[in-house]
Each structure stands twice: as structure tokens, then as C-alpha cells.
Amino acid sequence: MGMGTRQSQEKQEEIWIANAELARSPGHPFYQRLNELLDGEKFDPFVEGLCRKFYATRMGRPSLVPGIYFRALLIGYFEGIDSERGIAWRLADSLALRQFVRISLTESTPDHSTISRTRRLIDVETHREVFGWVLGLLADRGLLKGKRVGIDATTLEASAAMRSIVRRDTGESYEAFLTGLAKASGIETPTREQLARLDRKRKKRTSNKEWMSLTDTDARVTKMKDGRTHLAHKAEHAVDLDTGAVVAVSLREADKGDTTTLDRTLCEAGETVAELAGREAALHPQVKPKVNVKGIEEMVADKGYHSGAVLERVTKYQVRSYISERQQKGQRKWEGKAGQQQAVYANRRRVQGNYGKSLLRRRGELVERSFAHCYDTGGMRRTHLRKHNNILKRQLIHVAGFNLSLIFRKLLGAGTPREWRNLGGVLFMFIVSLFQRGQRPIRPCRPLMARSKANRAATRPPLAYSESCRKFAA
């Protein structure tokens, strides 16, 4: 075998190439099934009808087809890509994704400026309608009930640096502010290290009432989940506790308390469930409804949402609340607050019951799962867009991708391409286990009973029987 050299590998590209000789991709099976679902539900005619008002009939630059644009945003969720630049690069690099968005090898994929321009032209309400369309798919398949919802919020890191904040009254930068403090303390020419030490020793550092970001005026100074102080936004989800589907999404200022943002998210979720119930009654009047006709009946949240005023308002919405109560010092005074007192005591009785405890556990499981999938593995924990309108557009389609993954977990056992890839290893282990079972006699699985440690060690069955039974039962 002769050794190749760099000079022998250099060659001149051909000017003409036959179409039949172009590289072909077999396509990713997950994206093939996703396209089959979207085509079967007539996704492209739906979004083209929604976006027709944003496109010129004759004049203008070549546009990005709505079906390609929304598929590109879905790729951001399924591939865990955080920015539109990353989505554009991945589209140009992958033959399977080209086939998913239906761009041939002789066509150019959209660059990030085309994707961002299309996003700016299409308004938030259109993105919200696409999000609602995906919820309709879940309702048709019995994956959305709408009776019990869990609400929680998380922080998203903003695309703005703390160094860029300025005072709201004078417009003075943060570094100039610290320099003034250093000179007042006797340091005429402070170094960067001295300014950092002075900033650490200050008792009150930054307040959103005094400071703002010029690059993103919607961002607020807040404490992140990992303890860092950063400019951030607040994302809030309303999740169906029966299926795990995200019913409503809202994006607010990070300094807004949970008690001030709950009503808006709960109302959006209630309107969505009512629309889905009406849609189901119109399409299938003779079939037993899958979406709760009475709308949201129970709402679950953590202790950050607990207050007498909130519980009283939720009661007026005719929704039973299950909100954890924070421990308070002393005895509360209820003079002139009979309605709040009644609502707090009723909520306390419900939370302390077995049913209430099970709902709180389910909230912690399903709501936190939606945050982990959408923002951690989904790649939106740090936003690369500015202003709430721009971020919310991508966030709505991002969470719609999460809802679509619920359908594919039911159909295929995998909600993302990475899960689909991991199924190959699971299948291999299953075949190996069946082969091992054929080599040695295996007793049938029996329920594991509570036994003492000594009895458990003495009567423990062989590994090929116990571990395989436990894994495949799960």
C-alpha cells in the first residue's frame, strides 16, 4: 500500500457535475417521521395562510418560505442550538437537515440574517398561533387534558453584560460610578483591581430602579439559579400535570415577583384550554371529549406564589389552588381580610392532604422537566436575542418543539434525534439479554418483597435474572 502525499491529493474541481453524482443522504429517521406528521396535518398550507400578509405579492427580495422558517426554529430545539447563527450553520452542514427543510443540494441554505429578518417581519401573534396549532395536535391524540396545571418560572440569561449598565437618572456608566466612589475615598487613579475590591465591599450594589441596560432595556439585574448576578429574563410555564404538555408560555421582567406574574400565565392557560375544548367539540361532536370541558379546575405552584391576595384571586377564578405555604414567624392578622383568610386556610387543608402532596410532587417532576428540556438541553438558557418580543417568538416555537416531542415519545419512544440514536444501544442490550436468557434457565420475574438485609443477601437471585427483570419491567 503506497503512501499518499499532499501533492497527489490536490486536484482541481470540475466545472460541471451531473445531478445524479451529487452526494445523497438517506435522511434521519426522526426527521422523516416529523415531516410525515407535519405533512399529514397540512402544516405548510396552515403557516403559509397565516404569513401571507407579511409577504409581498410581486416586488421584494427572495423570501424564506414560512415552512422552512418554522422548521429551522424547531431544529434549534431538537438539536440543542442556542443561536440563529448556529441554526444556519447546522442547516448548511447537514444533508439530513437539508432534506428535512426541503432544500436541494443545488440551493443555498438561509443564512442567519435571512432567518432573523423573517423573524422580525412575522409578529408574535402568528408565532403564538403556530404554538396553539401544535397544542391542537396534542389534544387530538389525548395528550392534553387541561384539568390540572402546574405553574413555575425560571430565569434566562440575557444577551447583555453587567458592564454595560448605566444609571437611569444620569446615564453614567457603572465603571465611572465606581471611579467616583474611589476618588471620594481617597484613591485618585484607581486600578481595575482596586475598583473590583471596592465593588465587593459595598453593601448595596445594584438596583433595577437605579440601573438599566442600554443594549437590552427589557433585561433586569437578578440572581441566577447558580448564584451569579446577571441581567436576565423570566420565563414562566403552565404545564398540564396529566400529560406534561406546556399549555402556556410567558416572558416577563426578571425582577417581577411570582405573585405578580401568576394571573397572566394562568389566564392564558385557561383561554387556551377553553379554545381547545371548543375546537374539539366542533370537529368531533359525537366523540367523548379528551380536553376537560370545564377548563382548568386545579392549579399547583410552589411557595414563591403563596400570598393571601393570590389565593383569593385564584378562588374567584373558580380554580382550586395547591400552593405550598412558606413558614412565617408569629401569628398572622386577618382584620379586614376575611376572604384571604378563608382562601389561605382552604389551601392549607388541601396541601396537607395526600392528594395535594401527590400533586406537588408531580409539579416538581413535570414542570422542572419542561425547563430542563427547553432551556438546558434545548439550548435556550442563554438568549442571543434582545427585547421580549424577539425572544418570545423563538421561545414559543422552541416550546412547541418540546410539545411535539411528547407525540414522538408516545409513537416512537424517542422525543429527540439524540434519544432516537440512544435507542440503538438499548436495542442491542435487549438482544444480548435475550441471547443470555437462551443460554441459561431463567425463572420468571416475581414482585420484589421487603426482606431483611441478611435474607436479601441469602436469597438474592442470579444477576441475569434479577437485573434484567428490573430493567425491562421499568
Side-chain angles (χ1 to χ4, degrees), residues 68-134:
I68 296 179
Y69 165 70
F70 287 109
R71 279 179 173 85
L73 296 188
L74 289 177
I75 288 172
Y77 168 75
F78 289 118
E79 297 292 323
I81 303 174
D82 54 357
S83 65
E84 292 174 348
R85 286 180 181 268
I87 294 174
W89 179 87
R90 189 78 176 89
L91 265 176
D93 182 66
S94 173
L95 294 177
L97 293 182
R98 274 178 174 267
Q99 188 173 347
F100 171 61
V101 299
R102 278 114 184 226
I103 296 178
S104 65
L105 291 174
T106 58
E107 296 177 311
S108 299
T109 56
D111 54 11
H112 75 278
S113 61
T114 303
I115 297 176
S116 62
R117 176 176 172 80
T118 307
R119 170 184 43 78
R120 291 194 300 269
L121 290 177
I122 302 176
D123 59 9
V124 177
E125 292 305 317
T126 303
H127 290 76
R128 199 179 296 276
E129 289 189 49
V130 176
F131 175 77
W133 183 85
V134 174

Side-chain angles (χ1 to χ4, degrees), residues 404-421:
L404 280 174
S405 68
L406 298 179
I407 299 177
F408 283 93
R409 284 193 183 95
K410 182 178 180 182
L411 295 177
L412 309 176
T416 61
R418 284 168 292 180
E419 254 185 294
W420 180 281
R421 180 189 61 194

Side-chain angles (χ1 to χ4, degrees), residues 198-263:
L198 177 64
D199 189 29
R200 285 194 300 268
K201 291 182 178 180
R202 288 197 315 121
K203 292 183 178 180
K204 187 175 181 181
R205 299 187 182 181
T206 52
S207 170
N208 287 300
K209 295 181 179 179
E210 300 175 357
W211 298 90
M212 64 175 291
S213 172
L214 290 179
T215 55
D216 189 356
T217 55
D218 290 338
R220 296 291 184 270
V221 179
T222 188
K223 192 173 184 179
M224 307 295 288
K225 296 291 184 180
D226 55 2
R228 295 179 298 121
T229 300
H230 207 282
L231 290 167
H233 307 279
K234 177 181 179 180
E236 198 165 45
H237 287 188
V239 180
D240 190 336
L241 293 182
D242 291 307
T243 62
V246 180
V247 183
V249 182
S250 63
L251 188 69
R252 305 295 299 275
E253 293 81 5
D255 59 342
K256 295 284 186 182
D258 291 339
T259 57
T260 61
T261 60
L262 170 70
D263 296 74

Side-chain angles (χ1 to χ4, degrees), residues 346-407:
N347 176 78
R348 185 181 301 169
R349 286 193 301 269
R350 289 192 291 266
V351 168
Q352 292 176 352
N354 292 331
Y355 179 69
K357 293 178 181 178
S358 67
L359 284 183
L360 289 173
R361 288 194 297 269
R362 196 159 183 80
R363 182 211 66 82
E365 174 189 352
L366 295 180
V367 180
E368 295 297 334
R369 181 185 298 172
S370 70
F371 291 152
H373 281 282
C374 293
Y375 304 123
D376 294 329
T377 60
M380 267 199 72
R381 181 59 70 180
R382 186 185 190 279
T383 61
H384 289 267
L385 301 174
R386 294 167 182 168
K387 305 288 185 178
H388 281 176
N389 280 346
N390 292 320
I391 300 172
L392 184 58
K393 288 176 184 178
R394 178 149 188 234
Q395 185 187 12
L396 285 168
I397 308 303
H398 206 75
V399 180
F402 169 78
N403 286 336
L404 280 174
S405 68
L406 298 179
I407 299 177

